[in-house]
């Protein structure tokens, strides 16, 4: 959770963004939510609070808040997106499992230290190869959640990973 709204306001002002009523309402809603919220979720939460902000305004606000580095956008498989406050720090670092059927997003950080080591190595290799300064990353795995995997109507859609992708013997981890 954002611990200091002054810090967020300072960040927005530094990026040239005003603190509008809509942005403040959206930040409050995202700050209270433990999960990623879509624009529709944000709209419904605003309506439930008795306030009125149109969807176009919400789209513009989340776009500017994302550009300012205050919230993070997670692109979903259905072309939609969800948003969450950026809290900073390693304790907040997490990755995602996204169900390709129901679009459920599961955040996990169980193996984050191991993943960070692997990703740092990959970032170094990719950075060097493409002369590109990597500033951030998002890691999402797609598949079927426990509920969808168990659904009889989806059983024929499940393919083993090895059958669905071609693998190279040489891994980026074997490079020096």
């Amino acid at each position: 959770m954002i611990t200091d709204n002054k810090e967020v306001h300072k960040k927005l002002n530094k990026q040239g963004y005003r603190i509008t009523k809509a942005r403040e309402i959206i930040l409050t809603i995202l700050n209270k939510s433990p999960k990623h919220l879509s624009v529709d979720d944000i709209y419904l939460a605003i309506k439930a609070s008795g306030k009125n902000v149109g969807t176009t305004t919400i789209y513009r606000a989340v776009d500017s808040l994302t550009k300012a580095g205050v919230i993070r956008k997670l692109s979903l498989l259905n072309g939609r997106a969800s948003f969450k406050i950026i809290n900073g720090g390693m304790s907040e670092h997490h990755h995602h499992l996204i169900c390709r059927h129901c679009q459920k997003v599961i955040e996990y950080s169980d193996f984050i230290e191991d993943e960070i080591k692997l990703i740092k190595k990959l970032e170094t290799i990719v950075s060097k190869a493409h002369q590109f300064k990597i500033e951030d990353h998002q890691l999402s795995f797609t598949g079927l959640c426990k509920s969808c995997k168990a659904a009889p109507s989806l059983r024929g859609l499940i393919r083993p990973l090895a059958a669905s992708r071609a693998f190279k013997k040489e891994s980026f981890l074997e490079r020096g």
Side-chain angles (χ1 to χ4, degrees), residues 91-115:
S91 63
E92 191 57 36
H93 197 104
H94 64 274
H95 293 140
H96 306 97
L97 304 172
I98 303 173
C99 181
R100 65 180 160 89
H101 180 70
C102 71
Q103 301 296 305
K104 178 179 181 179
V105 176
I106 301 166
E107 295 179 0
Y108 73 93
S109 58
D110 322 49
F111 313 103
I112 207 71
E113 288 180 23
D114 293 332
E115 284 186 2

Side-chain angles (χ1 to χ4, degrees), residues 69-80:
V70 175
I71 65 174
R72 178 163 286 162
K73 177 180 179 178
L74 176 65
S75 298
L76 301 175
L77 301 173
N78 61 4
R80 299 177 75 198

Side-chain angles (χ1 to χ4, degrees), residues 121 125 168-176:
K121 187 167 187 171
I125 292 166
K168 291 183 180 178
K169 282 188 175 183
E170 183 185 343
S171 149
F172 74 89
L173 294 175
E174 295 170 354
R175 294 186 195 175

Side-chain angles (χ1 to χ4, degrees), residues 41-64:
D41 296 330
I42 295 167
Y43 176 79
L44 292 173
I46 291 170
K47 279 286 192 203
S49 72
K51 296 181 174 109
N52 189 19
V53 178
T55 53
T56 302
T57 302
I58 296 170
Y59 276 107
R60 287 183 184 142
V62 296
D63 184 54
S64 61

Side-chain angles (χ1 to χ4, degrees), residues 5-175:
N5 271 346
K6 287 180 185 176
E7 187 179 312
V8 172
H9 290 188
K10 189 175 169 182
K11 193 170 192 174
L12 286 169
N13 285 327
K14 187 177 179 184
Q15 300 280 333
Y17 295 103
R18 291 183 305 118
I19 313 303
T20 64
K21 193 165 232 139
R23 288 181 185 142
E24 191 68 49
I25 292 168
I26 291 166
L27 284 169
T28 300
I29 288 168
L30 289 173
N31 199 28
K32 290 178 181 176
S33 177
K35 62 179 192 158
H36 293 79
L37 298 177
S38 68
V39 167
D40 291 340
D41 296 330
I42 295 167
Y43 176 79
L44 292 173
I46 291 170
K47 279 286 192 203
S49 72
K51 296 181 174 109
N52 189 19
V53 178
T55 53
T56 302
T57 302
I58 296 170
Y59 276 107
R60 287 183 184 142
V62 296
D63 184 54
S64 61
L65 292 169
T66 302
K67 286 178 182 172
V70 175
I71 65 174
R72 178 163 286 162
K73 177 180 179 178
L74 176 65
S75 298
L76 301 175
L77 301 173
N78 61 4
R80 299 177 75 198
S82 64
F83 303 89
K84 190 168 184 179
I85 291 281
I86 295 176
N87 298 318
M90 288 304 239
S91 63
E92 191 57 36
H93 197 104
H94 64 274
H95 293 140
H96 306 97
L97 304 172
I98 303 173
C99 181
R100 65 180 160 89
H101 180 70
C102 71
Q103 301 296 305
K104 178 179 181 179
V105 176
I106 301 166
E107 295 179 0
Y108 73 93
S109 58
D110 322 49
F111 313 103
I112 207 71
E113 288 180 23
D114 293 332
E115 284 186 2
I116 288 172
K117 287 176 191 171
L118 293 172
I119 290 168
K120 289 290 181 202
K121 187 167 187 171
L122 177 60
E123 284 178 353
T124 301
I125 292 166
V126 171
S127 257
K128 246 186 229 178
H130 297 281
Q131 297 179 351
F132 187 85
K133 183 183 181 309
I134 296 172
E135 296 173 346
D136 195 12
H137 74 271
Q138 290 186 23
L139 179 61
S140 299
F141 292 99
T142 57
L144 293 172
C145 68
K146 186 177 180 179
S147 300
C148 292
K149 190 171 123 181
S153 62
L154 295 175
R155 286 213 176 105
L157 299 176
I158 301 172
R159 298 180 297 173
L161 181 62
S164 66
R165 294 198 179 118
F167 288 96
K168 291 183 180 178
K169 282 188 175 183
E170 183 185 343
S171 149
F172 74 89
L173 294 175
E174 295 170 354
R175 294 186 195 175

